[in-house]
Amino acid sequence: MIGKGIPRGFIITLKNFFRSPVTVQYPDRKVSLFEYAKIHNKNIFKLFFSQPMLSIKISLGLISVPSSVEQSQRFRGNEFTFFEERCTACASCAKYCPLGIIEIVSVPGGFDAQEGESYKLDVFDIDIGRCMFCGLCVEACPYDALHMGTKFEKSTYVRDDLIITKEKLAESEKSPSSFYRPQFEKKKFDPFKDNIKDHYKAGRHEKPEYKELKKKWVDDR
Amino acid sequence: MPLETKPVTVNLGPQHPSTHGVFRMRVTFDGEEIVDVEPVFGYLHRGSEKLAEERTYSQIVTLTDRMDYVSSMLNNQAYTLAVEKLCDIVPSPRGVWLRMIASELQRIASHFVATGFLLQDLGALGTPLIYCMRERENILDLFEMLCGARITNSYLRPGGVFMDAPDVFWPALDRSLGDIEKSIDEIEEYLSGNEIIFSRTKGTAVLSSESLVNASITGPMLRASGVDWDLRHRNPYDFYSEVTFKRILHTASDNYARYWVRVQEMRESLKIISQCIKNIEPGPVRPSFDDVPRLVRPEPGDSYAAIEGSKGELGFYLVSDGGISPYRMHVRAPSLINLTLLREMLVGELFGDLFVIFGSVDLNMGEVDR
């Protein structure tokens, strides 16, 4: 019947009018007085009587608080987590990178009677200005030294600052994402609240058992 | 005394806001009527096929994301199938089920975008597009849970997927399946019976099924003309032979039929996903690195694998010379081939319908120019 479809469409748009919005205010969002008191852990009445001007400003919508975007645990962000103690300078990450933006220079690191010769990192640069965050370097790392980060708010004014060096990686906050690292998901590690400073706590994603190793390298040979 | 008129040539694009990306056309008008069309491609050419020749087989997965950027999972799937054919890799069953779920979700997301932009081109500014994008956002959130990225996924690897789905994924998937079904109902209720859409889309840009087949056009455009051609049914890849779904056909072959086929296909994709959830079995998601190493070296030879993409038959042709990277990669891009009949569709139509016809083809410039 002609003329029926258009009002039906209008009813649906009217229904959607009263839905809660799906958009997120970023980087700041406006808050109500009640929410503001909850964020700052204050009693709403105390806040109103101690700071009346602020309370009026909040109720008028002039004050905003920083908001966060909801992310999943496997988010591939640009603040890499790197444990230098674990790195053997094997350059698997540099070989596996599709763009070739990881630069590694290694030097002989010393001799241990049990483990033999080892190598030490001299230069470890990731040019994240050209990085596409595919995560293949993390997938290639055999010792779980490199992890993707969950943070993404790392903008700079100069392009050269986007090259993250070994020192910058050591200083940065270590909140690794669980991309290709199932051990974090098993341990229920939450990168948005907690961080890992010690590499002993990070765990390994695939540690072959002694039996498997013996079968592969001794029995089958 | 009739007025004397002269045809006028107008340059549309590459930056015209409603031309679906950087597509340029030289259109000749006689009054409101289109007399001649000359498309100009290549403004988004990035040389993906050439770049693939200097990357290893596992690294090329990241390049395929950027070809058709609204259906990256489907591109990943077509590429991994081609590599599996080339190297004789037997994929892990759980990995295959997971990538079927991912690619069907991506098909729904792509059809949502197509529907939204078709209505945007019709002049329904904003509202239907935002409704469609809102539903697509659910699917992108699911992808973020699966692989950590929303658009450039790189989730699939030769032999399966790189990581099993997290525990939070399955309840979220169940929830979104219901939400998506509701939103498809909503779209149908206010769009499929709308008189404005009837009058604008019915009977415009009609193509015969014979000319569509001759121009090797595939996908929803072909099915809207009544030709029963769906690679998931005709040449089942992955585990599509184990799931049942209805092939959606329409006979009108006009803009409305193309829109209708896409909306109905979303429902069938939902059915396929729920069957996949039932059939999925525990186990490894990819073969061990002893069987499929990160650096595969296939025997010299070639392979072609095609899937039913969101826009048509998406195929990858790989030639190997025995090295670590392909000697040649060629992509059969459905968006480019579906533009073959652009002239036949547009000539004789009015200026206002030009962008509507564009929206009904559902092209993606990233895939056209590669």
Side-chain angles (χ1 to χ4, degrees):
Chain A
M1 192 195 130
I2 286 176
K4 206 177 157 190
I6 293 165
R8 224 164 54 186
F10 275 127
I11 288 165
I12 284 171
T13 36
L14 197 71
K15 268 184 205 163
N16 275 283
F17 211 70
F18 298 106
R19 267 195 191 180
S20 59
V22 286
T23 45
V24 181
Q25 296 290 322
Y26 182 82
D28 296 325
R29 67 188 164 94
K30 283 168 186 157
V31 282
S32 63
L33 195 60
F34 186 73
E35 249 182 299
Y36 189 88
K38 205 177 170 187
I39 290 165
H40 290 268
N41 247 337
K42 278 178 187 167
N43 193 329
I44 189 163
F45 297 108
K46 252 185 207 168
L47 181 79
F48 190 80
F49 287 116
S50 59
Q51 290 162 303
M53 274 309 284
L54 183 75
S55 313
I56 291 164
K57 266 185 186 172
I58 294 165
S59 359
L60 287 173
L62 295 172
I63 303 285
S64 52
V65 294
S67 70
S68 61
V69 183
E70 237 179 75
Q71 292 163 263
S72 74
Q73 270 194 26
R74 287 186 189 178
F75 189 83
R76 309 204 289 246
N78 63 3
E79 293 193 8
F80 289 88
T81 301
F82 179 59
F83 298 115
E84 207 195 324
E85 299 88 344
R86 285 186 168 192
C87 185
T88 58
C90 67
S92 289
C93 46
K95 276 177 214 155
Y96 209 41
C97 179
L99 301 169
I101 56 170
I102 301 178
E103 190 190 347
I104 289 184
V105 177
S106 58
V107 287
F111 184 79
D112 186 275
Q114 212 169 25
E115 291 176 354
E117 276 183 61
S118 68
Y119 283 89
K120 216 171 68 185
L121 270 185
D122 194 26
V123 176
F124 184 73
D125 290 356
I126 305 176
D127 183 1
I128 56 168
R130 287 173 60 205
C131 183
M132 60 176 170
F133 306 107
C134 58
L136 287 180
C137 50
V138 176
E139 199 180 320
C141 186
Y143 301 103
D144 285 14
L146 191 65
H147 306 263
M148 297 302 283
T150 42
K151 301 271 168 61
F152 59 92
E153 294 153 319
K154 204 179 191 183
S155 51
T156 54
Y157 286 105
V158 188
R159 222 163 238 255
D160 289 356
D161 291 349
L162 285 171
I163 299 172
I164 46 175
T165 57
K166 204 173 64 170
E167 289 76 30
K168 274 188 198 171
L169 281 168
E171 281 168 19
S172 68
E173 202 182 331
K174 289 178 167 49
S175 52
S177 99
S178 60
F179 169 81
Y180 210 73
R181 299 282 180 259
Q183 74 266 23
F184 292 142
E185 269 168 27
K186 265 180 208 160
K187 274 196 277 176
K188 305 230 160 112
F189 167 71
D190 189 357
F192 307 108
K193 286 174 188 158
D194 210 2
N195 54 23
I196 299 175
K197 279 179 190 133
D198 193 2
H199 73 97
Y200 288 109
K201 284 179 187 160
R204 285 283 301 272
H205 82 275
E206 42 170 28
K207 201 172 183 182
E209 284 179 12
Y210 177 73
K211 270 183 197 168
E212 283 174 29
L213 283 175
K214 188 167 175 274
K215 187 175 178 293
K216 190 175 170 186
W217 296 107
V218 181
D219 299 348
D220 289 357
R221 287 202 159 205
Chain B
M1 190 185 107
L3 280 170
E4 195 186 318
T5 56
K6 264 187 194 171
V8 183
T9 307
V10 182
N11 232 328
L12 288 172
Q15 299 296 342
H16 196 277
S18 60
T19 49
H20 293 261
V22 280
F23 187 56
R24 182 181 167 201
M25 288 186 294
R26 269 195 223 104
V27 194
T28 311
F29 293 106
D30 186 9
E32 283 259 346
E33 205 177 303
I34 298 164
V35 182
D36 194 18
V37 183
E38 189 193 337
V40 185
F41 303 124
Y43 286 94
L44 202 59
H45 179 62
R46 292 155 295 177
S48 304
E49 289 172 4
K50 187 72 190 168
L51 285 171
E53 289 169 19
E54 53 190 40
R55 276 160 174 71
T56 62
Y57 286 93
S58 349
Q59 289 171 353
I60 297 169
V61 179
T62 58
L63 279 178
T64 60
D65 289 332
R66 282 140 181 96
M67 281 173 193
D68 183 357
Y69 41 80
V70 293
S71 58
S72 344
M73 284 287 189
L74 288 158
N75 293 6
N76 288 178
Q77 194 188 18
Y79 173 72
T80 45
L81 279 169
V83 175
E84 278 166 18
K85 225 178 193 177
L86 190 64
C87 312
D88 297 326
I89 296 169
V90 182
S92 302
R94 190 177 171 84
V96 174
W97 285 118
L98 270 172
R99 78 179 176 205
M100 270 173 71
I101 291 172
S103 61
E104 288 303 323
L105 281 172
Q106 185 73 77
R107 192 189 311 279
I108 296 170
S110 176
H111 283 340
F112 265 129
V113 173
T115 313
F117 277 102
L118 171 71
L119 292 153
Q120 168 98 332
D121 294 341
L122 270 170
L125 285 174
T127 316
L129 175 67
I130 297 297
Y131 287 179
C132 290
M133 284 293 183
R134 183 182 64 195
E135 305 312 328
R136 177 176 174 253
E137 202 72 5
N138 282 337
I139 297 167
L140 296 189
D141 283 341
L142 289 176
F143 287 160
E144 199 185 313
M145 281 178 204
L146 273 179
C147 59
R150 297 163 75 80
I151 290 173
T152 52
N153 307 108
S154 312
Y155 182 46
L156 274 58
R157 297 281 183 275
V161 298
F162 70 75
M163 206 172 160
D164 204 347
D167 298 335
V168 287
F169 175 73
W170 300 108
L173 179 63
D174 281 344
R175 228 177 305 124
S176 357
L177 285 186
D179 286 355
I180 292 165
E181 191 148 26
K182 258 183 228 163
S183 62
I184 296 169
D185 286 341
E186 199 183 279
I187 284 180
E188 278 227 279
E189 203 185 330
Y190 79 100
L191 297 178
S192 297
N194 195 314
E195 285 87 14
I196 301 173
I197 288 171
F198 278 168
S199 61
R200 285 294 300 279
T201 54
K202 280 204 168 176
T204 51
V206 181
L207 291 165
S208 68
S209 55
E210 200 184 352
S211 64
L212 282 164
V213 172
N214 285 342
S216 80
I217 285 172
T218 45
M221 262 181 100
L222 183 64
R223 284 194 289 277
S225 73
V227 182
D228 185 6
W229 184 261
D230 190 329
L231 282 179
R232 290 176 289 174
H233 164 66
R234 292 273 168 174
N235 182 17
Y237 47 92
D238 280 354
F239 290 150
Y240 276 105
S241 49
E242 293 178 29
V243 294
T244 51
F245 60 97
K246 210 168 75 187
R247 279 108 60 205
I248 306 294
L249 296 174
H250 201 288
T251 46
S253 189
D254 56 2
N255 282 345
Y256 184 80
R258 284 166 212 142
Y259 153 77
W260 188 85
V261 164
R262 285 202 182 95
V263 173
Q264 301 304 318
E265 266 187 19
M266 286 197 267
R267 291 181 193 280
E268 296 309 311
S269 293
L270 287 176
K271 276 183 206 164
I272 294 173
I273 293 167
S274 48
Q275 286 176 51
C276 289
I277 296 170
K278 266 180 210 159
N279 287 337
I280 197 164
E281 59 212 40
V285 288
R286 70 191 279 184
S288 70
F289 287 118
D290 299 340
D291 300 336
V292 185
R294 290 198 176 93
L295 202 64
V296 284
R297 272 175 210 270
E299 295 290 306
D302 57 352
S303 77
Y304 175 77
I307 63 156
E308 182 66 36
S310 59
K311 293 164 178 78
E313 182 186 334
L314 173 67
F316 275 77
Y317 178 64
L318 289 169
V319 183
S320 159
D321 59 351
I324 56 169
S325 51
Y327 176 74
R328 174 86 170 90
M329 183 175 93
H330 175 73
V331 187
R332 187 213 184 269
S335 293
L336 174 65
I337 291 164
N338 286 0
L339 281 177
T340 320
L341 289 183
L342 188 70
R343 217 184 112 86
E344 280 77 354
M345 285 164 88
L346 287 177
V347 170
E349 299 290 338
L350 298 179
F351 173 67
D353 288 337
L354 195 148
F355 295 114
V356 184
I357 292 164
F358 246 55
S360 78
V361 176
D362 184 21
L363 66 143
N364 185 300
M365 289 318 285
E367 198 176 29
V368 172
D369 296 335
R370 296 195 290 286

